[in-house]
């Protein structure tokens, strides 16, 4: 049987998970693929650290160069994280013509264009299934399964840590710092928690999916980004009263203006009110889900664990199978890593994004307050679809919840700026997008 020698850089949560999964299902994979995997080299930072999978000292090294440059290593698996050294690792391996498997969404998001060019130039494939949505094979879906479709909408719950925190906040009425500790302990969160809770991780993933779906390299810096730190129990409870659940949602929409080809796309990652009747509202805990709408297929939905050792290892094994089959069949780049197919693509300015919104104001409970607010919104041509002012709130100010009809984000922000200056308003307004999945 053909043997494929693997070189891993990183043996932490994900790298360790890959080693464990290979121990568990390596024989099964060999019987399915006709290829046997052998772990030839593994680089880690600390040789003395206790590992769940026993590796001989001959296999272990602290130098990633030892792994990548080892002539025996045929597939390089980058599981170290970060972007500086990881970029070097991937480029050196690709230049040597070695296929690379990575779970590193920050790396693909930041240097993807350069890495895919290098892969093409050197005829070596770059596999990144584990970089988006953990165990869900969403990269394969977009690259292969839905190849005959134009993607018109893509909605994703893409960060397991945020979804875990929001689920427990809603279920247990707790605030988010307390739950973040648990997510870190369970190995879901990134080493730097800001990557998760401030939405960067979800944006990296949404940007990769947007690029794949729309065929041009989408710069995530052009997207609208907001994390989950600003979500309070008050908003979770008001959203529930209105029939919604707050999720951190990645949204990729193809606009219809300008004809099909040159229409821009919208890319945002932000807390979003999802109707409780929609399937994405019931995606809970560390689970991710991606809804992809294709012009031929209609709506399709993918669901699975979005973070954690085993889910991510499963995605890496899928990439290893593809890499091994390419080697076995001598069919380099059978499925190219990323093929730009739109000559020009553009991302809509975040302020121009049109959507319904949830707005919470803190107001002085006195006659005429609502009229003053409605006048400013009316002048800005922003319509109110419903208002709630709960009874029984004590103190100087009370919450006032406005559900806003479709409005451009910049117009709403400007109107809220004026509303904040009214004498009857206390504190800063809160606004969240509402998505009806049309
Ligand atoms: P981790 O637990 O911190 O593991 C990192 C590993 O890389 C460790 O084994 C570390 O060695 C090794 N390492 C770091 N710098 C090194 C260097 N310069 N030379 C050699 N080895 C080095 O991180 P992780 O959670 O597994 O994440 C790895 C990647 O997977 C990241 O890109 C992350 O975004 C991605 N990812 C993670 C998850 C998840 O649920 N955790 C899910 C999907 C994708 P030591 O063990 O000796 O410290
Ligand atoms: N920290 C990430 C998450 C890991 O919570 O989704 C998976 O990419």
């Amino acid at each position: 049987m053909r043997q494929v020698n693997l070189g891993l850089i990183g043996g932490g949560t994900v790298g360790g998970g890959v080693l464990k999964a290979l121990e568990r299902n390596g024989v099964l994979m060999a019987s399915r693929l006709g290829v046997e995997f052998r772990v030839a080299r593994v680089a880690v930072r600390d040789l003395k650290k206790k590992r769940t999978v026993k590796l001989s000292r001959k296999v272990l090294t602290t130098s990633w160069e030892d792994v990548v440059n080892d002539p025996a290593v045929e597939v390089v698996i980058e599981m170290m994280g970060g972007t500086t050294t990881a970029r070097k690792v991937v480029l050196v391996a690709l230049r040597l013509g070695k296929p690379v498997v990575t779970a590193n969404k920050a790396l693909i998001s930041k240097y993807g264009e350069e890495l895919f060019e290098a892969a093409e130039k050197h005829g070596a494939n770059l596999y990144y299934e584990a970089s988006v949505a953990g165990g869900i094979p969403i990269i394969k879906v977009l690259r292969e399964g839905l190849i005959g479709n134009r993607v018109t909408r893509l909605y994703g719950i893409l960060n397991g840590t945020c979804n875990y925190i929001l689920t427990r906040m809603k279920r247990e009425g707790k605030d988010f710092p307390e739950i973040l500790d648990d997510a870190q302990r369970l190995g879901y969160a990134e080493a730097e928690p800001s990557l998760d809770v401030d939405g960067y991780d979800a944006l990296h993933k949404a940007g990769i999916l947007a690029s794949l779906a729309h065929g041009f390299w989408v710069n995530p810096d052009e997207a609208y980004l907001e994390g989950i730190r600003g979500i309070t129990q008050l908003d979770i409870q008001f959203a529930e009263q209105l029939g919604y659940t707050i999720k951190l949602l990645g949204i990729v929409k193809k606009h219809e203006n300008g004809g099909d080809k040159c229409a821009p796309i919208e890319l945002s990652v932000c807390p979003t009110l999802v109707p409780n009747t929609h399937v994405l509202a019931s995606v809970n805990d560390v689970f991710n889900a991606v809804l992809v709408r294709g012009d031929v297929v209609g709506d399709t939905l993918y669901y699975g664990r979005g973070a954690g050792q085993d889910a991510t290892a499963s995605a890496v094994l899928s990439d290893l199978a593809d890499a091994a089959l390419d080697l076995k069949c001598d069919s380099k780049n059978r499925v190219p890593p990323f093929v730009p197919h739109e000559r020009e693509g553009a991302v809509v300015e975040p302020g121009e994004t049109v959507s319904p919104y949830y707005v919470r104001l803190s107001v002085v409970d006195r006659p005429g307050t609502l009229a003053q607010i409605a006048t400013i919104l009316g002048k800005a041509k922003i319509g109110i679809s419903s208002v709630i002012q709960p009874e029984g709130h004590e103190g100087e100010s009370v919450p006032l919840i406005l559900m806003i009809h479709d409005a451009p984000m910049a117009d709403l922000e400007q109107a809220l700026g004026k509303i904040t200056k009214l004498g009857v308003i206390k504190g800063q307004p809160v606004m969240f997008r509402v998505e009806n999945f049309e």
Side-chain angles (χ1 to χ4, degrees):
M1 193 181 293
R2 169 81 157 87
Q3 192 177 62
V4 169
N5 291 319
L6 309 175
L8 268 85
I9 326 282
T13 304
V14 180
V18 171
L19 292 169
K20 259 190 353 188
L22 280 172
E23 257 189 9
R24 176 175 170 167
N25 283 345
V27 173
L28 174 73
M29 287 184 76
S31 70
R32 287 176 174 169
L33 299 168
V35 172
E36 200 175 68
F37 293 112
R38 186 179 80 93
V39 177
R41 299 305 307 264
V42 178
V44 291
R45 243 179 329 210
D46 178 0
L47 290 175
K48 293 198 185 110
K49 213 185 245 183
K50 234 179 153 220
R51 314 267 162 200
T52 36
V53 171
K54 263 202 151 352
L55 294 165
S56 85
R57 282 306 288 264
K58 270 200 244 149
V59 168
L60 279 171
T61 169
T62 53
S63 153
W64 63 265
E65 283 103 334
D66 281 356
V67 176
V68 175
N69 293 321
D70 186 331
V73 167
E74 296 170 277
V75 180
V76 172
I77 311 174
E78 182 282 303
M79 302 282 131
M80 70 192 301
T83 54
T84 310
T85 311
R87 171 175 165 267
K88 278 191 220 156
V89 167
V90 175
L91 283 174
V92 171
L94 292 174
R95 282 179 197 138
L96 290 168
K98 297 188 183 188
V100 177
V101 175
T102 181
N104 194 334
K105 53 266 165 167
L107 176 76
I108 298 285
S109 176
K110 192 165 178 190
Y111 296 116
E113 209 170 6
E114 178 191 17
L115 301 178
F116 292 133
E117 266 175 33
E120 198 183 347
K121 185 169 166 199
H122 300 284
N125 218 327
L126 175 59
Y127 301 91
Y128 51 101
E129 186 63 76
S131 68
V132 182
I136 304 174
I138 190 67
I139 303 291
K140 216 175 229 308
V141 164
L142 290 174
R143 285 206 307 192
E144 300 179 53
L146 298 184
I147 189 87
N149 284 260
R150 284 181 189 279
V151 174
T152 55
R153 297 280 186 274
L154 187 151
Y155 303 96
I157 293 175
L158 296 171
N159 185 272
T161 303
C162 288
N163 206 37
Y164 178 81
I165 292 173
L166 291 177
T167 303
R168 286 195 52 196
M169 280 176 78
K170 182 169 177 182
R171 205 182 273 153
E172 297 169 28
K174 287 185 181 161
D175 283 321
F176 105 93
E178 199 177 335
I179 305 167
L180 175 63
D181 288 347
D182 281 352
Q184 283 179 309
R185 193 176 39 78
L186 292 165
Y188 305 147
E190 299 297 315
E192 169 48 60
S194 163
L195 276 175
D196 291 305
V197 297
D198 294 321
Y200 298 105
D201 177 82
L203 179 61
H204 292 151
K205 296 167 179 170
I208 294 169
L209 296 182
S211 303
L212 257 180
H214 293 289
F216 69 95
W217 194 250
V218 177
N219 177 0
D221 294 341
E222 292 180 54
Y224 177 67
L225 173 64
E226 187 186 331
I228 65 163
R229 284 186 206 268
I231 301 175
T232 60
Q233 275 302 326
L234 209 54
D235 294 311
I236 288 177
Q237 284 161 25
F238 282 131
E240 177 62 21
Q241 275 181 39
L242 289 158
Y244 293 91
T245 297
I246 304 180
K247 294 288 181 193
L248 184 74
L249 205 63
I251 301 174
V252 184
K253 284 188 185 178
K254 179 85 168 165
H255 279 215
E256 272 128 40
N257 55 317
D260 194 30
K261 279 217 105 182
C262 32
I265 65 157
E266 178 190 321
L267 172 62
S268 48
V269 169
C270 55
T272 304
L273 270 70
V274 174
N276 283 336
T277 48
H278 194 273
V279 64
L280 289 181
S282 48
V283 173
N284 285 324
D285 298 303
V286 76
F287 282 88
N288 280 191
V290 188
L291 189 158
V292 185
R293 185 173 299 163
D295 62 345
V296 180
V297 70
D299 282 0
T300 59
L301 183 69
Y302 311 91
Y303 171 84
R305 282 182 192 280
Q309 188 166 60
D310 295 339
T312 314
S314 164
V316 173
L317 291 193
S318 152
D319 280 347
L320 286 181
D322 277 343
L325 287 176
D326 279 1
L327 289 170
K328 181 185 163 191
C329 306
D330 199 16
S331 60
K332 280 182 177 176
N333 288 327
R334 185 188 63 82
V335 181
F338 169 68
V339 184
H341 55 84
E342 294 291 351
R343 260 177 299 148
E344 281 171 33
V347 179
V348 175
E349 278 284 319
E352 289 171 21
T353 304
V354 175
S355 167
Y357 284 92
Y358 158 102
V359 170
R360 176 169 58 80
L361 300 167
S362 198
V363 302
V364 176
D365 192 11
R366 115 166 37 121
T369 294
L370 186 57
Q372 290 180 59
I373 294 165
T375 302
I376 294 176
L377 290 172
K379 279 192 185 152
K381 298 194 169 49
I382 293 170
I384 301 172
S385 60
S386 66
V387 177
I388 317 182
Q389 188 179 328
E391 288 185 5
H393 270 260
E394 288 175 6
E396 206 188 303
S397 57
V398 294
L400 177 72
I401 315 302
L402 307 173
M403 294 301 278
I404 303 289
H405 278 302
D406 265 353
M409 185 168 77
D411 293 3
L412 180 59
E413 279 176 341
Q414 206 177 23
L416 289 177
K418 288 184 187 158
I419 288 170
T420 310
K421 290 193 186 119
L422 294 172
V424 292
I425 303 291
K426 302 286 167 200
Q428 285 302 308
V430 170
M431 81 185 234
F432 294 128
R433 186 173 170 154
V434 177
E435 184 55 58
N436 293 321
F437 302 92
E438 282 155 2

